[in-house]
């Protein structure tokens, strides 16, 4: 991990530099044409790291590899692909979007234990950034992330990475926030056919990657999918939900859906049990609910 907090500014505009500190395939520049603010200090990590309370180590190799002695694996013979029917097509696009399933399924990529080549089409998220991105300052939403080149529907864009923490730790951190504070902690629930529910909490507040700069939209252009490479701890990968043009801001729905269908106008409970008006949403989408989604039940806010 590398610190990503030192910046230079001139006339309200931040000079471009690599917020990733050379840890990604491509540099991610930073631009501020709004004010003289600098990025909040944080430690950059391209992948998830183990945080407090979580017994699973995201860096530990726990999944077996395939025995495919080919440059790219085939569905009929690869054990990784058999865990998931055809995750990516020949253009490295996520197949789900073509099938219009409306919900995500877990993806298992080939990993370091596999005998297939690095060019295998079942290796996408693990390759890191493939598009030039930029962190920028907006007038109403704070820092955001945009693309500097066009992105095709279904292509992998970036991860939402940071500290993998336990549910009690997620609750503790959320309760320590004041009502107006930003909450970067994301809770992902995966429902298995056995009825079991897998929960993963990732917090990029102090240790994270470019995904921490993604803003919410009620009509997002990114879609989050849990992807497993070498461990059962999922990597939260964001794929393009549509064709994205150069210069367009990258967004996803914080509630985990493509669109919010229910408009919430009442007050909601804050991290410490106080009530107040939910944070306003400035996404500008025609389907905007007017407020940022927040589900306190995901963070065990009642547990002291």
């Amino acid at each position: 991990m590398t610190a990503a907090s030192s910046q230079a500014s001139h006339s309200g505009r931040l000079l471009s530099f690599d917020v990733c500190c050379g840890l990604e395939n491509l540099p991610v520049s930073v631009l501020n044409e709004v004010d003289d603010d600098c990025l909040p200090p944080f430690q950059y990590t391209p992948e998830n790291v183990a945080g407090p309370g979580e017994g699973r180590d995201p860096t530990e190799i726990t999944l077996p590899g395939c025995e495919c002695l080919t440059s790219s694996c085939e569905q009929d013979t690869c054990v990784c692909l058999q865990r998931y029917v055809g995750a990516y097509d020949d253009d490295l696009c996520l197949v789900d979007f073509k099938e219009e399933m409306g919900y995500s399924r877990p993806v298992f990529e080939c990993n370091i234990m596999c005998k297939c080549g690095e060019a295998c089409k079942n290796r996408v998220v693990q390759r890191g950034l493939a598009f030039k991105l930029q962190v920028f300052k907006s007038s109403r939403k704070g820092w955001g992330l945009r693309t500097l080149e066009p992105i095709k529907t279904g292509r992998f864009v970036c991860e939402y990475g940071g500290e993998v923490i336990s549910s009690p730790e997620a609750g503790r951190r959320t309760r320590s926030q004041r009502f107006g504070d930003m909450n970067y902690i994301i809770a992902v629930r995966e429902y298995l056919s056995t009825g079991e529910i897998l929960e993963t909490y990732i917090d990029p507040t102090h240790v994270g990657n470019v995904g921490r700069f993604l803003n919410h939209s009620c009509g997002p252009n990114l879609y989050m999918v849990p992807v497993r490479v070498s461990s059962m701890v999922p990597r939260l990968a964001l794929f393009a939900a549509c064709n994205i043009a150069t210069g367009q801001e990258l967004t996803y729905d914080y509630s985990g859906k493509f669109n919010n269908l229910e408009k919430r106008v009442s007050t909601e409970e804050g991290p410490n049990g106080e009530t107040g008006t939910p944070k306003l949403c400035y996404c500008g989408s025609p389907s905007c609910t007017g407020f940022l989604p927040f589900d306190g039940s995901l963070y065990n806010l009642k547990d002291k």
Side-chain angles (χ1 to χ4, degrees):
M1 295 183 293
T2 305
S5 59
S6 178
Q7 303 170 44
S9 63
H10 178 69
S11 300
R13 181 185 299 226
L14 292 184
L15 301 179
S16 295
F17 79 114
D18 184 13
V19 70
C20 308
C21 304
L23 298 177
E24 298 282 7
N25 295 334
L26 298 169
V28 176
S29 60
V30 183
L31 183 64
N32 184 351
E33 297 180 296
V34 176
D35 51 36
D36 292 321
D37 284 352
C38 293
L39 291 180
F42 72 101
Q43 293 290 318
Y44 195 92
T45 177
E47 299 179 6
N48 291 330
V49 297
E54 177 57 58
R56 300 175 298 170
D57 184 352
T59 64
E60 183 180 1
I61 301 173
T62 58
L63 292 176
C66 67
E67 298 293 326
C68 304
L69 299 176
T70 58
S71 59
S72 188
C73 295
E74 299 295 334
Q75 182 73 47
D76 295 338
T77 57
C78 179
V79 294
C80 300
L81 286 175
Q82 288 171 2
R83 297 190 186 107
Y84 178 95
V85 182
Y88 308 112
D89 63 18
D90 291 336
D91 294 323
L92 304 182
C93 296
L94 193 67
V95 174
D96 270 356
F97 291 98
K98 294 183 177 180
E99 295 178 354
E100 298 182 353
M101 294 178 60
Y103 64 91
S104 65
R105 295 179 294 177
V107 174
F108 288 85
E109 292 192 359
C110 291
N111 57 56
I112 194 172
M113 302 299 291
C114 295
K115 294 183 179 181
C116 58
E118 291 295 324
C120 177
K121 71 178 183 181
N122 197 38
R123 298 175 184 265
V124 173
V125 173
Q126 62 193 269
R127 294 176 185 168
L129 300 182
F131 299 98
K132 295 179 181 178
L133 309 178
Q134 182 180 71
V135 176
F136 73 101
K137 185 68 178 293
S138 66
S139 59
R140 304 194 74 181
K141 296 186 291 183
W143 295 100
L145 187 67
R146 61 187 169 199
T147 178
L148 300 182
E149 57 183 309
I151 302 175
K152 182 181 177 180
T153 303
R155 287 295 304 273
F156 168 67
V157 178
C158 68
E159 286 186 53
Y160 192 87
E163 290 183 277
V164 180
I165 58 178
S166 65
S167 175
E169 176 65 13
R172 186 194 68 78
R173 292 187 181 188
T174 305
R175 289 193 300 271
S176 68
Q177 299 169 358
R178 293 172 297 181
F179 189 76
D181 288 346
M182 291 291 295
N183 179 27
Y184 290 96
I185 303 173
I186 189 168
V188 175
R189 283 178 176 166
E190 297 176 272
Y191 296 84
L192 307 184
S193 59
T194 60
E196 183 182 0
I197 300 177
L198 296 180
E199 293 185 328
T200 302
Y201 296 84
I202 294 180
D203 184 7
T205 304
H206 302 295
V207 181
N209 71 344
V210 295
R212 75 191 300 280
F213 297 107
L214 291 167
N215 281 315
H216 165 80
S217 176
C218 301
N221 53 23
L222 298 182
Y223 179 51
M224 183 175 286
V225 176
V227 174
R228 289 172 169 83
V229 181
S230 298
S231 167
M232 278 302 293
V233 180
R235 296 166 69 161
L236 305 185
L238 291 140
F239 295 84
C242 58
N243 290 329
I244 306 174
T246 299
Q248 189 173 351
E249 181 178 6
L250 300 169
T251 60
Y252 76 102
D253 190 329
Y254 287 0
S255 71
K257 299 179 292 184
F258 274 110
N259 295 287
N260 288 312
L261 301 180
E262 179 182 354
K263 186 171 183 178
R264 294 176 297 168
V265 296
S266 61
T267 59
E268 64 180 50
E269 187 172 303
N272 294 303
E274 71 273 32
T275 59
T277 303
K279 293 180 182 179
L280 296 177
C281 178
Y282 299 112
C283 71
S285 167
S287 59
C288 183
T289 66
F291 302 97
L292 294 180
F294 179 80
D295 184 357
S297 67
L298 296 172
Y299 302 100
N300 299 310
L301 301 184
K302 297 297 184 180
D303 296 337
K304 298 295 184 180

